[in-house]
């Protein structure tokens, strides 16, 4: 089954403490950090991720670009992110497709749920991203992920017995 994740960019930025604090001084930096986090998530999870930013008050035709294989969409003039997300859900809906929408906007969650997509609150997405990062670290450095003795699997049985006798003072 093909999986898609549509993210309401500014809603997520406002909901995640680290990005919310950053947006007060550097909105572009908060956007870039979110893009980076979602690109990592996409590459590990295998989900196709769309990131939607609201440009409601900005004149123009809207933009679509790809950054780190992540599709980033800016809405058109007089179009909200919610409207763009709803249209995207409608266009993507089909057989053998599972669509998730990440937003903490309760009204939007109800609307997209009615269209057949699943909702994912901002906090749940953050937990999934942190879990993915942990799994990647464990795959890259498996010896640091275990709190057990890193030599345990590398020593012969005789050597382990010898060390155990020394530990006991025999």
């Amino acid at each position: 089954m093909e999986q898609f994740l549509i993210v309401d960019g500014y809603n997520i930025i406002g909901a995640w403490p680290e990005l919310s604090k950053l947006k007060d001084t550097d909105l572009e930096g908060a956007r870039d950090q979110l893009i980076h986090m979602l690109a990592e998530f996409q590459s590990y999870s295998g989900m196709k991720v769309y990131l939607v930013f609201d440009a409601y008050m900005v004149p123009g035709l809207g933009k679509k670009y790809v950054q780190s294989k992540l599709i980033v969409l800016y809405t058109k003039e007089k179009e909200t992110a919610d409207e763009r997300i709803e249209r995207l859900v409608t266009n993507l809906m089909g057989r053998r497709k599972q669509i998730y929408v990440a937003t903490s906007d309760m009204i939007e969650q109800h609307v997209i749920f009615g269209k057949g997509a699943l909702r994912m609150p901002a906090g749940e997405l953050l937990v999934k991203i942190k879990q993915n990062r942990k799994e990647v670290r464990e795959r890259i450095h498996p010896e640091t992920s275990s709190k057990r003795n890193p030599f345990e699997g590398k020593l012969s049985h005789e050597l382990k017995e010898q060390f155990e006798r020394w530990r006991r003072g025999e």
Side-chain angles (χ1 to χ4, degrees):
M1 179 171 284
E2 200 173 4
Q3 293 187 323
F4 297 91
L5 173 65
I6 303 169
V7 179
D8 185 344
Y10 290 128
N11 184 278
I12 297 297
I13 288 173
W16 290 357
E18 180 184 331
L19 296 181
S20 183
K21 191 175 1 173
L22 180 59
K23 83 170 171 120
D24 294 335
T25 57
D26 183 12
L27 182 59
E28 188 174 342
R31 275 195 309 255
D32 289 343
Q33 193 168 341
L34 179 60
I35 289 169
H36 177 73
M37 292 168 79
L38 291 174
E40 282 181 352
F41 177 76
Q42 175 178 256
S43 65
Y44 186 75
S45 70
M47 294 177 101
K48 184 70 178 165
V49 179
Y50 292 84
L51 177 58
V52 179
F53 286 112
D54 198 342
Y56 182 75
M57 300 301 283
V58 180
L61 301 173
K63 289 194 304 189
K64 173 183 176 180
Y65 68 95
V66 178
Q67 182 173 336
S68 303
K69 297 184 181 179
L70 176 77
I71 298 173
V72 181
L73 303 164
Y74 285 91
T75 63
K76 298 183 283 191
E77 183 179 6
K78 297 190 183 212
E79 179 185 40
T80 65
D82 292 350
E83 292 168 339
R84 182 68 173 111
I85 290 168
E86 291 163 21
R87 198 167 72 243
L88 194 54
V89 166
T90 302
N91 292 341
L92 289 173
M93 196 54 74
R95 297 180 82 175
R96 304 201 38 83
K97 291 183 180 180
Q98 187 62 63
I99 302 170
Y100 298 87
V101 177
T103 182
S104 288
D105 181 341
M106 288 302 291
I107 295 171
E108 182 63 11
Q109 286 181 3
H110 290 295
V111 171
I112 58 95
F113 189 69
K115 290 183 173 283
L118 297 175
R119 51 188 180 240
M120 183 182 300
E124 184 179 332
L125 178 59
L126 185 58
V127 168
K128 285 182 180 288
I129 286 175
K130 287 180 178 181
Q131 181 63 35
N132 277 1
R133 283 183 172 176
K134 181 181 176 193
E135 289 174 15
V136 167
R137 272 195 309 276
E138 288 173 355
R139 281 186 171 200
I140 293 172
H141 303 291
E143 68 278 357
T144 59
S145 65
S146 172
K147 297 199 182 336
R148 298 172 26 199
N149 185 349
F151 292 110
E152 186 173 57
K154 298 179 178 146
L155 300 177
S156 69
H157 181 69
E158 295 81 20
L159 201 49
K160 287 179 189 178
E161 287 178 352
Q162 179 66 41
F163 282 139
E164 183 62 22
R165 286 193 300 274
W166 288 348
R167 186 182 74 78
R168 294 177 184 211
E170 297 174 2

